[in-house]
Structure formats: structure tokens, C-alpha cells
Amino acid sequence: MRSWSLATTTSVTLLALLACSASNGESLSSPPVGSEHPARSTVQGTVGAAGIGDPDFPSDGNGGYDVTHYSLKLAYTPSSKHLAGVASISATALHDLARFNLDLSGLHVASVTLDGAPAQFTREGSELMISPAAQLAKGAKFTVRVAYSGTPKPVRGSSNLGTYGFIPTSDGAFVVCEPNGAKTWFPANDHPADKATFDFELTVPKGLTALANGELVAGPVTTDGKTTFIWRERHPMVTYLATMTLGDFALRTGTTPRGLANLAAVAPKYNNQLDRVFRLSGRITDYWSTVFGPYPFSSTGGVVDDLNTGYALENQTKPMYGGFIPDESIIAHELAHQWFGDSVSIKRWNDLWLNEGFATYAEWLWAEHNRTITAEQVFRGRMSMTSSPIWNYPPGKARPDDLFNESVYTRGAMTLHALRQRIGDATFFKVLRTWAQNHAYGHATTDDFITLAERLSGRQLDSLFDVWLYKRGRPEWPERPRRQTRPTPGNSRPTPTPTASPAPTRQAGPYRR
Ligand code: TRP
Ligand code: ZN
């Protein structure tokens, strides 16, 4: 079971057990997902590529088009584990397309239409290959509608990532899809390089609750023993963050102290956690908005299901905790991901430290904010573990067969702390806020981050990032941090930054009203 306690500084050890299902096949002759439309140059004639161009995950995502919106109308019956429905996917052709792919694993496809006209389709592994009646022209906007049904099967035991995707539970399903499990329940361009908005219309047996991303826009409406929930995520989202977790849930809705919509949901076993999860998720979201900049989405929250996965996922607007009482540290982690990972997303898995290093550093910042332990102390504790395996795994290039290695989390976070020591608190927190702002709802790479840090600090930081992110071996102890000046009481700066030195009288904090 994963412990996220900072006191024991083992917060991510269990993640060493989780590594991704690298489909470790041959790399496509495609460039890295660095260009805006990476797949474009992978094109053979008018056939969309079977992968979006992430060399570590050659068949993930697809080339030739860009999804703008998913509309998922789905019904699930827990007793039979049967899922049935229609996915309508709106997209833009990036080049002329006689054929293109979606990712879908298992499930029976009954029909595919393109802009209302029947389209030919074939299946091969997790690829659903679609040939429209007429070729699509470059730049054409189209909607492909897939009617499908069956029993979703999660991705299981691939490498050391455990089980993810659509996971059936005794009373419903726990749906957590990182890195490529969206295809277990809907046809998708299943790679974070393609973001889209989402509508969900989810029908479940009366008495159950279906939760998805964003906000409830209508209903729930119950007819004939079935209840339909309509959710909308109007901000772009990567596919692995989409969810339709359902079951017997107690709900609390309201707002955070600063007035953002907030929803907590817990399985019956965790009823006594409902108010705590609601309050903590609200408080922490509000706090991060003072540190990282405005919250990027329209609601926040947290969901505790009773399926014992031992892990949590930062599903957009609704982090989900699988089978444990989340402590403050993991709530802080998943909510920090709303800025880092969810709003600012990676273009290829290789850059995963931009998600996990940042969210782990947020755990340290939350502890620092609460005067439990400073980030500097956590950093020093980790530095002194000289034989830790993180020194053999440079976190800047997450490995496809061991994507969620502890180094990506801990050494990624240490990289940020080393940067903070080098450039000072004021510039460091400005870098974080500018990062979140400049790339909100989009994508960014490690090089983008280094460039930004250099620009805002006016320093050459190549060697710092090189030893921390790309080199084997434990970096030298950084110079001791310069003493930071703390904001004086009454300081009118709107965004207090955490300070490196404990100050029991510090009053900065967004939720003191
Ligand atoms: N991103 C998650 C975290 O650090 C960990 C994770 C990776 C995960 N893959 C997953 C969680 C699949 C659930 C399912 O918080
Ligand atoms: Zn994380």
C-alpha cells in the first residue's frame, strides 16, 4: 500500500512498482511529438498514421487528425458489466485522409458513420481503422460516430503499472486511465498530445451515481429505473484524465472558501470522510491558486472509491483515490496536477517529470506551508540517501518500461528544489506561475521549461538541468540557499509564495477569511 506521508518520506516508493505498459515494439519512422502536428510527416499518402508519433509508445494515439470534442453517451449496468453507447468525435483533418484510426481495445463496434454517412471499418488489435465513403480533405472538420458495446476490460499487469482503464467494481466502475487506458471504454485518439473538450451522458441503474469530469449540466434524470447524468468538461482535456467512475456514492457539493464549485464523493465505506475530503480539496485548491496562479478549470473536488488500488489519479476536476483514506499530501499532489499535467500537458511520455516532479514538489510545498517540514529539509533528506536507486535513473527521460519510476517523482521534485535554490524564491515561483499561465490548456516540453527558467532568472541553467534530469549519478550538493526575505505582514503582494524558512506567524494563505 502506498504511503504518501512526508514524515516517512516514502511518498512515491510504491510508484516504483508502477510502470507503464510500454508497447515496446519498433519505433515508427516518426519524429518525436515535438512539432505541432507530429503525425503529419509520418503520413503515407492519405492514410492517417496508427500512432501519434511518440517513439516510446508507437501505437498510442493516431496521426492525420486532431480531435476537438468527444461526446460520449454511454450506459453501464454493473450486474452484467455491460457498457453500450455512442461516441461522437469531432475532429479536423490535418491532411487529406482516405483512412484514419481510432484507438479502442475490446468491445464490439456495431456501426461507424462519418458526418452521418456509413463508413467502412476494420479492427486490428487496439486500432479501429475507418475508411470514410469519401476522402476527407486537409482542414476538413468532421464528426465520426461510433456505436459500440460490450464488457470493458482494463489493462492489466502490463509491465509494473498494475491495472488501469475501466475497472469494474462490485457496484460500478473505477475509471482511471493513465497512461493509455481511455481506449478500454471509448474510441479515442488516446495520447496526451491531442486534447479535446468532453460531454458525457451517462446512464446507470437508479440509485447509483455516475461521475465524470467537469460540471453536471443537467439532471440527474430518472426514468424507468435508470438515471442519466450529464457532465461537461469545457476545457481541453487529455484522454487519460477522462472518467466515468460510477457506483454507490455519497455526494457533497458546494464551493471552496474562495467560491469555486467543489464536489466530493465517497463510497459507503468512506462515508465519514465525505466532509473532510470536501473541505481539504477546497482549501488546497484555493491555496494552490495563490501559489500557481488562477485555477484552470470550472470546478474541483475529490472522489474516494472502495476499490483497493492503493493509488490516486488526477482526473481533471475530480481526482480519484482508490481504496484508501487520502492524506493531505496526496490530495495536495493530485490537485497540483490540475495545473501541472492537466492544464499544462506533456506532448510525449518522456517528459513525465513535468507532471510528477511538479506534483511531488507540491507535496513538499504543502508541508512547508503547514510548518510540518520545509522543502529544503525534504530535499536534504533525499540527498543524504546516497544509495537510493533514483541516482541511477535520470528523471528527464522517463523510460517507457518504467514510466512512473520513483525518480520521475522524487528526483523530478528535487530538480525543482535545486532550481529554487539557484534562482531564489521570488523568481522560482514566478517561473511556476508563468509556466502554468503560458501553457494553460496546452502542451509544453522540458526544453520549454528550461528556456523559461533561464529567461526569467537571466541565468545559464543548462548544467543544472543536465545533471539533475539527464545524468546518472547523484548531483553535487547545491550551494546552500540564500536566505529569503519573507513578505512582511500587510504586504500587499497578491500571491504569497511559500518561504524556505519556517515562520510560525506567517499569515499568508488563501483560505483564511
Ligand atoms: N499519476 C498518478 C499520480 O501520480 C499515478 C498513476 C499512474 C495512476 N498511472 C495510473 C493512477 C493509473 C491510477 C491509474 O498521482
Ligand atoms: Zn502524480
Side-chain angles (χ1 to χ4, degrees):
M1 168 60 57
R2 174 171 179 186
S3 157
W4 282 81
S5 152
L6 269 170
T8 59
T9 62
T10 55
S11 59
V12 294
T13 8
L14 197 139
L15 281 153
L17 304 173
L18 308 175
C20 139
S21 64
S23 33
N24 254 336
E26 300 299 293
S27 180
L28 290 183
S29 57
S30 51
V33 186
S35 54
E36 206 194 345
H37 297 305
R40 194 176 312 196
S41 50
T42 71
V43 167
Q44 303 297 319
T46 56
V47 176
I52 202 166
D54 188 333
D56 293 329
F57 297 86
S59 60
D60 282 10
N62 305 283
Y65 64 91
D66 182 54
V67 178
T68 52
H69 185 74
Y70 292 89
S71 170
L72 306 176
K73 290 190 201 317
L74 298 170
Y76 187 72
T77 311
S79 56
S80 59
K81 295 190 164 53
H82 187 75
L83 177 75
V86 174
S88 298
I89 302 162
S90 303
T92 307
L94 299 178
H95 55 76
D96 292 351
L97 276 181
R99 196 184 95 187
F100 64 92
N101 288 13
L102 287 165
D103 302 312
L104 181 68
S105 74
L107 304 168
H108 169 74
V109 174
S111 70
V112 176
T113 63
L114 200 132
D115 292 335
Q120 304 278 351
F121 63 92
T122 54
R123 317 251 340 238
E124 210 177 284
S126 292
E127 302 290 338
L128 168 63
M129 294 173 288
I130 297 167
S131 305
Q135 181 170 308
L136 290 158
K138 174 179 178 178
K141 297 192 184 319
F142 62 94
T143 298
V144 56
R145 180 183 181 280
V146 180
Y148 64 103
S149 63
T151 302
K153 296 273 187 306
V155 182
R156 247 179 238 285
S158 63
S159 187
N160 51 357
L161 194 59
T163 300
Y164 62 92
F166 189 107
I167 312 171
T169 60
S170 56
D171 62 348
F174 186 58
V175 182
V176 286
C177 298
E178 192 182 16
N180 52 13
K183 64 175 183 287
T184 65
W185 62 285
F186 66 96
N189 195 18
D190 197 8
H191 188 281
D194 191 359
K195 289 184 162 195
T197 52
F198 280 72
D199 277 310
F200 305 85
E201 191 177 314
L202 307 175
T203 301
V204 294
K206 179 183 165 189
L208 299 186
T209 298
L211 300 162
N213 312 86
E215 297 78 52
L216 199 57
V217 292
V221 174
T222 300
T223 36
D224 296 336
K226 303 266 184 203
T227 305
T228 299
F229 295 79
I230 299 182
W231 297 91
R232 172 168 299 159
E233 175 50 56
R234 58 189 183 87
H235 298 287
M237 178 164 77
V238 304
T239 50
Y240 73 76
L241 296 170
T243 190
M244 65 169 290
T245 288
L246 65 121
D248 184 1
F249 282 106
L251 258 58
R252 179 170 168 192
T253 56
T255 62
T256 70
R258 289 186 138 204
L260 177 71
N262 185 15
L263 179 153
V266 298
K269 182 175 171 190
Y270 298 101
N271 264 334
N272 67 355
Q273 293 297 314
L274 182 63
D275 290 340
R276 179 179 163 275
V277 169
F278 179 86
R279 274 198 316 273
L280 269 176
S281 302
R283 260 177 57 197
I284 295 175
T285 303
D286 280 356
Y287 178 63
W288 287 150
S289 73
T290 72
V291 178
F292 304 141
Y295 184 70
F297 308 122
S298 303
S299 61
T300 188
V303 177
V304 187
D305 205 347
D306 55 7
L307 181 83
N308 193 348
T309 60
Y311 56 54
L313 186 65
E314 62 266 23
N315 298 88
Q316 191 157 311
T317 70
K318 285 179 191 63
M320 298 198 169
Y321 308 92
F324 61 98
I325 295 173
D327 65 14
E328 291 194 20
S329 191
I330 195 167
I331 296 173
H333 178 114
E334 306 308 334
L335 289 171
H337 270 309
Q338 303 302 308
W339 283 259
F340 308 115
D342 295 10
S343 173
V344 182
S345 302
I346 54 177
K347 286 179 186 171
R348 47 180 290 173
W349 288 107
N350 210 309
D351 278 335
L352 186 61
W353 84 279
L354 293 172
N355 296 3
E356 301 305 345
F358 283 53
T360 302
Y361 197 62
E363 296 175 44
W364 305 0
L365 292 177
W366 180 250
E368 184 163 292
H369 173 66
N370 288 300
R371 316 270 160 231
T372 314
I373 183 172
T374 64
E376 173 71 12
Q377 288 168 318
V378 181
F379 175 85
R380 295 187 150 261
R382 300 292 182 151
M383 273 304 271
S384 60
M385 296 163 77
T386 51
S387 55
S388 166
I390 66 175
W391 307 126
N392 294 323
Y393 186 127
K397 291 234 177 293
R399 296 177 201 158
D401 62 339
D402 193 9
L403 205 52
F404 296 91
N405 185 282
E406 188 195 349
S407 173
V408 175
Y409 287 70
T410 300
R411 195 167 150 182
M414 294 178 81
T415 303
L416 289 178
H417 192 74
L419 174 66
R420 178 179 172 187
Q421 288 177 322
R422 178 73 66 85
I423 68 179
D425 278 16
T427 309
F428 175 75
F429 287 102
K430 188 166 180 218
V431 168
L432 293 188
R433 285 192 295 271
T434 308
W435 180 248
Q437 185 180 10
N438 287 0
H439 301 288
Y441 313 117
H443 296 94
T445 65
T446 301
D447 281 349
D448 294 333
F449 185 71
I450 296 172
T451 302
L452 176 68
E454 289 188 334
R455 183 163 64 75
L456 294 186
S457 69
R459 294 187 188 221
Q460 232 292 351
L461 299 168
D462 278 356
S463 61
L464 182 149
F465 285 108
D466 196 47
V467 295
W468 276 99
L469 293 177
Y470 299 120
K471 288 271 188 319
R472 280 175 173 276
R474 192 185 62 140
E476 294 293 303
W477 282 87
E479 54 192 274
R480 286 214 68 130
R482 290 168 296 145
R483 243 200 132 55
Q484 304 292 337
T485 36
R486 272 188 302 111
T488 47
N491 181 320
S492 60
R493 281 188 317 148
T495 48
T497 53
T499 57
S501 48
T505 56
R506 183 158 158 273
Q507 288 298 300
Y511 44 82
R512 197 171 296 98
R513 319 183 88 200

